[in-house]
Amino acid sequence: MSRSSTPHFTTSYEVVVFSENDPDDPKNWSQRRKDWILAMICILAFVGVFGSSIYAPGQGQIRQLYGVSTTTANAGLSLYVAGLGVGPLLCPLTEMYGKRKPYVISWVLMIVAITPSAFAENIVVILVFRFLTGFCAACSLNTGNSIVADIYPSSLHALSHSITIFVLSALTGPCFGSLVGFFVAAHSRRQLWVLRVHLFFAIALIPVVLMLPETYPPAILASRAKKLRKRGKGNARAAHELHGKTILQVVQGHILRPLAMIVREPIVQGAAAWISLGYGIIYFYFEAYPVVFIEQHGIPFQLCGLMFLAVTLGMVLAVLPYTWLVQTFRRLPLLGIERVGTDPKELNLKVVLSACILLPLALFWFAWTSEDETHWIAPALAGIPFGYSSIMVFFAFLSYSSHTYGVYSSSANAANTFVRSIVASAFPLFGTPLLNNLGTKWGLSLFGFLSIGLLPVPLIYIRYGAALRERSYFARQAREVAACMHEQVNVVNVVSEKDKQDIDNTSDMQQVLAGDGTQVAVVDGQSGLDQDNV
């Protein structure tokens, strides 16, 4: 566990923590308030990623207005997605300032970044600020999961259900962004209204951002301790304030550890490969759908976005019965790959096999019905199994890696976010040249062959996952840190008081010697730590 420099004298502190039924503790908030918070972070994530794809239907306008190549026009989509991946690594603000402040700051900066790209008549300005917009929008995607974890720390069912809704909101955002973008681009002529619509949506949601409460327990406790210090309790501290982190430690936890996981962790690599493929194809479809449906099937330009509704339907069909599907596949013997006594982590992963098989089928279905000899409904319906597969792969592999790395799960997810965003940002750049050179049948089939090549990954995890987790450096380290945390918790003697307003009465507080020689007086209940930041 990280610690500040060891003092040469003993200092007494009053550690401010939550009581069992503390109304300020996010886990004790009413269900109605939690539902409102979930709704707010879902709409913010939706609009944050909505801005990536609404740009795609306007790429034809950009080519005409600025006389640039298809690749340059497509770069506006790629740079936004790249910003979504880089943002979480370079801005670990939540650990230092809580969840609310980064949301507010990043949302305001996102609006500032959208404005030049929406109104400036310069392609370089548009591309630069598209990247910065994605960079700022990353907070709405990266922080939402941790907010859900703040309000549901002990209810696994509620946590899983809420995260499922949040992820669905984030993944359907690009589909609806494209749908709206085609209608807007069809009627905007020489003005880039596809970018201005995103700007107006972002401005309209400023009240939502401002209403979002702070949910990060250490930040709430730090605020409470600050108020106590103003009232004359100069030695009041939140638990995490006793062990401040250096800049190097923050960089290690948020940048170096995720990058190291990408290099040396097979579980992270395999999960990133599958999720990056599914996520990347979504953005590849923004280039492929106009070719298939407008050029080859004669669909009116403004209606092309409606074809993405099939992808959204497939995602919903995966989300609604997800828990039932996981339980059903746990009980199915599949090819004898699981052994007697297989860990539940691997058993839960069995559900992903349905997606890993359906994904190449969906891609081949779309590829070989893409030309005009078939009715347009055939390739459109291929979006249903693709939508199911893409979101199922996302849920299953992220859940598996989170369970594998425990207190380092946020680092594993940050690594995955970085890889999938960088990979997905490349897909729009080579999409049009690929389709022009190979045609839609073979160009789209290429991704089907890639998905077949990745089929051994989930089979290896189910069969040998336990051995991989045992050999994993970061999984083993995470288990050791978790064990150390539990030992530390058992050492601390916690005294609960009914009325936190009467905190000045400290005569009965227990004095506990912390590991760095500092005497800690624990008051007002039990504390929680951001485990991945230990």
Side-chain angles (χ1 to χ4, degrees):
M1 183 177 294
S2 62
R3 294 191 173 101
S4 58
S5 59
T6 303
H8 296 288
F9 55 88
T10 299
T11 304
S12 294
Y13 290 111
E14 295 175 12
V15 181
V16 182
V17 292
F18 291 124
S19 60
E20 184 176 355
N21 297 312
D22 198 316
D24 289 341
D25 190 345
K27 71 179 183 181
N28 295 326
W29 292 348
S30 68
Q31 186 60 47
R32 183 175 181 179
R33 188 180 187 187
K34 292 180 179 180
D35 290 341
W36 273 112
I37 293 172
L38 178 61
M40 285 190 284
I41 62 175
C42 283
I43 189 64
L44 293 174
F46 180 91
V47 172
V49 76
F50 175 94
S52 65
S53 59
I54 194 173
Y55 169 91
Q59 292 171 174
Q61 288 178 286
I62 290 177
R63 291 195 299 270
Q64 295 175 3
L65 290 173
Y66 304 109
V68 297
S69 66
T70 299
T71 302
T72 301
N74 294 356
L77 176 58
S78 296
L79 289 170
Y80 193 107
V81 180
L84 292 175
V86 175
L89 288 180
L90 298 185
C91 290
L93 298 176
T94 56
E95 178 183 348
M96 296 178 283
Y97 302 107
K99 307 291 172 64
R100 184 179 184 276
K101 286 183 180 179
Y103 254 104
V104 174
I105 294 171
S106 65
W107 200 264
V108 172
L109 291 178
M110 185 183 77
I111 293 173
V112 172
I114 299 172
T115 303
S117 61
F119 293 98
E121 296 184 356
N122 184 295
I123 185 61
V124 176
V125 172
I126 291 174
L127 296 182
V128 169
F129 281 93
R130 282 287 293 173
F131 173 80
L132 294 176
T133 303
F135 185 93
C136 296
C139 181
S140 62
L141 297 176
N142 189 62
T143 311
N145 282 336
S146 60
I147 286 182
V148 174
D150 289 340
I151 61 178
Y152 292 113
S154 56
S155 175
L156 183 59
H157 175 75
L159 176 66
S160 301
H161 177 72
S162 298
I163 288 181
T164 298
I165 295 174
F166 175 79
V167 172
L168 178 64
S169 302
L171 290 183
T172 55
C175 298
F176 282 98
S178 181
L179 188 156
V180 173
F182 278 104
F183 277 100
V184 173
H187 300 284
S188 57
R189 298 182 182 179
R190 295 184 59 83
Q191 303 294 326
L192 288 178
W193 276 96
V194 288
L195 299 180
R196 296 177 186 180
V197 167
H198 184 217
L199 173 63
F200 297 147
F201 278 4
I203 293 174
L205 288 176
I206 288 179
V208 175
V209 178
L210 295 178
M211 288 189 297
L212 191 68
E214 179 59 70
T215 64
Y216 189 45
I220 297 173
L221 293 172
S223 177
R224 181 184 292 181
K226 183 178 180 180
K227 292 178 181 178
L228 288 172
R229 290 195 295 272
K230 288 182 178 179
R231 289 163 46 191
K233 226 36 170 168
N235 59 346
R237 296 290 188 276
H240 71 288
E241 292 179 309
L242 298 177
H243 305 287
K245 285 194 169 186
T246 65
I247 295 177
L248 179 61
Q249 289 171 323
V250 173
V251 169
Q252 180 182 9
H254 288 270
I255 299 178
L256 300 183
R257 188 190 297 137
L259 294 178
M261 283 182 159
I262 296 171
V263 173
R264 63 187 299 177
E265 293 292 316
I267 292 176
V268 171
Q269 293 165 356
W274 263 108
I275 293 175
S276 297
L277 179 63
Y279 194 62
I281 292 173
I282 292 176
Y283 284 94
F284 176 76
Y285 274 6
F286 297 138
E287 309 300 326
Y289 269 43
V291 175
V292 171
F293 293 106
I294 298 175
E295 297 180 14
Q296 298 182 175
H297 285 89
I299 297 293
F301 179 86
Q302 66 182 13
L303 299 181
C304 183
L306 294 174
M307 303 300 109
F308 284 97
L309 290 177
V311 179
T312 303
L313 176 60
M315 292 180 177
V316 173
L317 292 177
V319 168
L320 292 180
Y322 180 72
T323 302
W324 177 83
L325 288 170
V326 171
Q327 296 300 323
T328 300
F329 274 85
R330 278 175 60 98
R331 295 190 293 267
L332 291 179
L334 298 174
L335 306 177
I337 54 178
E338 71 273 30
R339 294 176 292 183
V340 176
T342 299
D343 191 278
K345 296 181 181 65
E346 281 70 46
L347 292 179
N348 289 341
L349 188 61
K350 288 165 66 174
V351 70
V352 83
L353 293 176
S354 65
C356 294
I357 293 172
L358 274 180
L359 185 61
L361 293 177
L363 293 170
F364 288 127
W365 176 355
F366 182 46
W368 293 92
T369 59
S370 62
E371 296 187 354
D372 58 4
E373 69 268 14
T374 58
H375 193 274
W376 63 265
I377 194 65
L381 291 177
I384 297 177
F386 170 76
Y388 170 92
S389 301
S390 60
I391 201 167
M392 183 65 73
V393 162
F394 197 96
F395 283 157
F397 279 114
L398 280 188
S399 176
Y400 182 63
S401 61
S402 294
H403 290 157
T404 296
Y405 296 104
V407 297
Y408 290 161
S409 61
S410 293
S411 294
N413 291 339
N416 193 287
T417 298
F418 176 75
V419 173
R420 73 171 182 263
S421 297
I422 297 302
V423 171
S425 69
F427 275 56
L429 296 178
F430 65 73
T432 301
L434 178 68
L435 296 176
N436 289 339
N437 292 329
L438 297 180
T440 54
K441 288 184 176 178
W442 286 106
L444 293 165
S445 294
L446 176 63
F447 299 105
F449 292 124
L450 285 175
S451 61
I452 290 176
L454 290 175
L455 273 176
V457 172
L459 301 178
I460 292 172
Y461 285 177
I462 294 171
R463 181 65 175 83
Y464 301 105
L468 289 174
R469 288 188 285 108
E470 187 63 29
R471 296 177 183 176
S472 166
Y473 169 79
F474 285 103
R476 183 172 61 253
Q477 190 178 70
R479 290 193 297 269
E480 292 172 355
V481 170
C484 179
M485 288 173 61
H486 284 93
E487 291 174 3
Q488 293 289 338
V489 169
N490 290 333
V491 169
V492 177
N493 196 351
V494 176
V495 177
S496 178
E497 296 181 359
K498 296 181 179 179
D499 186 5
K500 66 175 182 293
Q501 298 299 328
D502 193 25
I503 200 168
D504 289 337
N505 183 13
T506 60
S507 58
D508 294 329
M509 291 189 302
Q510 299 288 330
Q511 297 294 324
V512 182
L513 188 63
D516 59 2
T518 303
Q519 277 194 339
V520 180
V522 182
V523 298
D524 215 1
Q526 58 188 19
S527 66
L529 298 175
D530 182 356
Q531 292 180 331
D532 191 50
N533 295 325
V534 175

